Amino acid sequence: MTREKSTADIRDLLQRAGLRATRQRMGLAELIFGAGERHLTAEELYAEAINAGMRLSQTTVYNTLHQFTEAGLLREILADPRRIYFDTNVHPHHHFLDEDTGEMEDIPADGVAVGALPTPPSGKSIEGVDVIVRVSSRA
């Protein structure tokens, strides 16, 4: 299990990523990274921020999530056209997506075997393969 990060750890994380530790970034980063690895949507983070008493807009949440992703602190996962998740685990791995609850769970990179990949277009190389295994309680 991943240990919780302190405010100093989070400030250092942002600074190492080349991001200024503004009040709003720090507040959102503490929600995102403070309790270890997790998957969340922008809407979930916005609700958490409001519940924590933060005063910010949804646009600030979206912009911050994208800044963190561009800085390599988060991994963006397009689960379907309606849901984008942000993952604090940026290392190669795959996911289970519970269609009933919307919860996402990690699958280790070696937990999925992918074979017979197509030849990439000329001048391109395959950078990775992301697998989302959709699960449901429905019979």
Side-chain angles (χ1 to χ4, degrees), residues 11 15 17-18 22 26 28-29 36-37 54-56 62 73 78 80 87 90 107 123 125 132 137-138:
R11 183 177 306 282
Q15 289 174 343
T22 64
M26 281 297 297
L28 291 172
E37 292 183 356
M54 294 178 66
R55 295 178 53 149
L56 44 67
Y62 280 99
L73 300 176
L78 179 62
D80 64 45
D87 190 349
V90 295
I107 302 170
S125 63
I132 297 177
S137 298
R138 295 174 282 222

Side-chain angles (χ1 to χ4, degrees), residues 98-116:
D98 188 318
E99 293 287 344
D100 300 325
T101 66
E103 292 181 24
M104 190 168 272
E105 184 178 323
D106 289 349
I107 302 170
D110 62 0
V112 174
V114 178

Side-chain angles (χ1 to χ4, degrees), residues 112-129:
V112 174
V114 178
L117 292 175
T119 302
S122 178
K124 303 289 181 180
S125 63
I126 295 173
E127 295 294 317
V129 176

Side-chain angles (χ1 to χ4, degrees), residues 78-99:
L78 179 62
D80 64 45
R82 300 162 298 150
R83 286 187 286 192
I84 298 174
Y85 289 84
F86 294 87
D87 190 349
T88 59
N89 179 355
V90 295
H91 303 291
H93 66 284
H94 307 288
H95 295 94
F96 284 115
L97 176 61
D98 188 318
E99 293 287 344

Side-chain angles (χ1 to χ4, degrees), residues 6-51:
S6 70
T7 299
D9 291 335
I10 291 170
R11 183 177 306 282
D12 185 54
L13 180 73
L14 294 181
Q15 289 174 343
R16 281 186 285 126
L19 297 171
R20 278 189 26 236
T22 64
R23 181 181 52 81
Q24 289 182 324
R25 278 191 191 136
M26 281 297 297
L28 291 172
E30 286 175 355
L31 292 174
I32 296 167
F33 303 109
E37 292 183 356
R38 62 186 296 212
H39 307 89
L40 71 160
T41 65
E43 294 78 14
E44 290 168 342
L45 180 59
Y46 178 70
E48 287 181 24
I50 295 302
N51 288 338

